[in-house]
Amino acid sequence: PQLVTCGYESVRFWRLHRGALTALSVPLQHHEGEMLTDLAIDSSADLGGGAHAESQRRLLVASSGGKVFQIDPSTYRLEYVFQLHDAPINAIHMSTGFAVTGSADHKLRVWPLDFREHLLEADHEGPVTSVSSSPDGLVLLVGTASGTIGTLDVASQQHTTLVRAHTASIDGLAVDPHNREFATSSSDGTIRVWELDGAQQQLVEFQVSSGRATALAYHPTEYALACGFDQGTVRKRLAARVGLGV
């Protein structure tokens, strides 16, 4: 298992060795001045599993310059750099067979994995800040700086703005892999859980007493939600339909 992080001019792979974390930085080959904003890695299960699939995995890293860096996670080598937007890419996501970028230029784009030309594009009323997908990968959920949540049906290419979910920017968005619901966090100081289907009704709201929840992730097997905060802390909460508990 590996931990991968990104930041200013930096992509690092981390391993736990004899009780200590060691890091290996990926040379970005003269792409100085880039803030690396988000990353996505494909699943070996999506590639068929096994050793061959593991060797075919790719890591995509988004940047403030509108670029995507493709890195081989087995060799730590930068393979390609793609210029995909004219503004910072705030969010990147991978599903089976395609990748998705969301940018400060208000655009969400769906790309084939060779990135030659986007397959579809959807404009939003504010900068796109976060992207996630339904468990089957067919519906994309999009959070924006204007506080709205949108959906994009990949098959029909139909884009819908669901709700003005928050009164400030949506900073985190995650879809539950086992239950038909998703969660959002915002600069307005709340974390909210929503239905994924139907009218996308709000199920519960949690007020953040200190700090700002900037990242969300559901546990892969438990019914729980991890929340990352701007103070550098992570809190795990039960994501029950009746409420969020510590």
Side-chain angles (χ1 to χ4, degrees), residues 101-229:
T101 54
S103 172
D105 61 10
H106 299 203
K107 298 181 186 299
L108 179 85
R109 289 175 175 165
V110 179
W111 305 85
L113 292 178
D114 60 11
F115 295 100
R116 291 184 180 179
E117 186 176 357
H118 58 264
L119 302 172
L120 52 109
E121 178 182 274
D123 285 301
H124 294 74
E125 65 177 63
V128 176
T129 57
S130 50
V131 178
S132 190
S133 71
S134 60
D136 58 14
L138 299 179
V139 177
L140 300 175
L141 286 147
V142 187
T144 70
S146 58
T148 59
I149 299 172
T151 64
L152 181 65
D153 186 291
V154 176
S156 68
Q157 301 186 17
Q158 181 178 359
H159 178 263
T160 306
T161 298
L162 299 181
V163 285
R164 185 170 295 279
H166 291 273
T167 57
S169 175
I170 295 175
D171 300 319
L173 190 157
V175 179
D176 190 321
H178 303 292
N179 300 285
R180 302 295 292 179
E181 64 185 47
F182 65 96
T184 55
S185 65
S186 170
S187 302
D188 64 10
T190 64
I191 299 169
R192 298 175 182 177
V193 179
W194 309 82
E195 287 182 331
L196 184 59
D197 302 312
Q200 282 82 31
Q201 293 182 348
Q202 182 179 313
L203 299 174
V204 68
E205 176 180 310
F206 175 74
Q207 294 287 334
V208 178
S209 57
S210 62
R212 180 166 59 94
T214 57
L216 300 173
Y218 277 92
H219 194 282
T221 57
E222 298 177 14
Y223 192 28
L225 182 68
C227 311
F229 289 81

